[in-house]
Amino acid sequence: MKVLVAGLDWHGRMTDYCAEAFRSLGHESRTFYTNRAGGGWEMLRARMPYIPRLKAFVTELTRTVANRAFLEAVRTMKPDLLFGIVTNGWGISRETLEVAREYCPRIVSWLADDPFRFPEVVETLSAYHYHFSAYRPAVALIPMITSVPVSFLPACGSSDTYRPV
């Protein structure tokens, strides 16, 4: 099975570890970093002083570029499964996920943070086929918003990385 693992390029390298886990199970796995896709705009946004209107403009521009790059990655790979590690800063819109459904039969989120702290994440919940949540209360709350199934999946560590030395 071809799996595209999408997530941020931080948070303890969760994106990399999940992609490696799929490879260890015998699947072809690639990564897409949602916070690298903005290129120079992402670097500018991270380093600019906090000027609210300017920061909002550059953030929106960065998300637009990232959403386009995300769709291009999905169109190119045509994965059997898109596994999104959804945290603060995810930035992939509901509209983008709905277009991605044309190229990918299964789109799954792993909600690594409390999704209800981030309105832009809550807006996307209905665009997935399935949710996993590392935040246990979300398992009871998500069905109040969408009919998309949800299960609890806590975070864990890679025994190849985290082991006694």
Side-chain angles (χ1 to χ4, degrees):
M1 176 168 58
K2 293 191 303 188
V3 181
L4 179 61
V5 179
L8 298 172
D9 186 22
W10 60 69
H11 292 292
R13 296 185 50 223
M14 288 171 66
T15 305
D16 299 315
Y17 293 142
C18 288
E20 182 54 40
F22 281 111
R23 280 191 287 278
S24 73
L25 293 170
H27 303 292
E28 176 188 337
S29 177
R30 294 187 192 158
T31 56
F32 178 87
Y33 299 110
T34 59
N35 62 327
R36 278 197 203 166
W41 291 108
E42 182 63 39
M43 191 173 7
L44 174 65
R45 189 184 74 79
R47 289 181 170 74
M48 68 188 302
Y50 185 73
I51 302 168
R53 290 182 120 177
L54 181 61
K55 191 84 163 186
F57 172 77
V58 174
T59 297
E60 188 56 37
L61 185 59
T62 300
R63 286 189 174 161
T64 299
V65 171
N67 276 264
R68 284 186 193 143
F70 176 80
L71 272 181
E72 185 57 34
V74 172
R75 284 184 187 124
T76 301
M77 184 181 184
K78 292 184 179 65
D80 300 306
L81 171 67
L82 169 60
F83 188 78
I85 303 163
V86 181
T87 59
N88 179 25
W90 170 240
I92 303 300
S93 71
R94 180 178 41 92
E95 294 80 10
T96 298
L97 291 166
E98 288 171 355
V99 172
R101 283 173 160 244
E102 297 172 24
Y103 303 93
C104 181
R106 287 282 162 224
I107 300 178
V108 174
S109 77
W110 182 26
L111 303 161
D113 287 330
D114 171 5
F116 297 99
R117 290 179 41 217
F118 312 107
E120 64 276 6
V121 170
V122 173
E123 287 176 10
T124 68
L125 292 177
S126 63
Y128 296 90
H129 293 101
Y130 201 91
H131 296 290
F132 292 102
S133 178
Y135 182 68
R136 191 178 295 273
V139 175
L141 296 172
I142 288 172
M144 295 177 191
I145 294 172
T146 181
S147 61
V148 176
V150 60
S151 296
F152 180 62
L153 180 65
C156 58
S158 167
S159 59
D160 292 335
T161 303
Y162 300 101
R163 63 189 183 285
V165 178

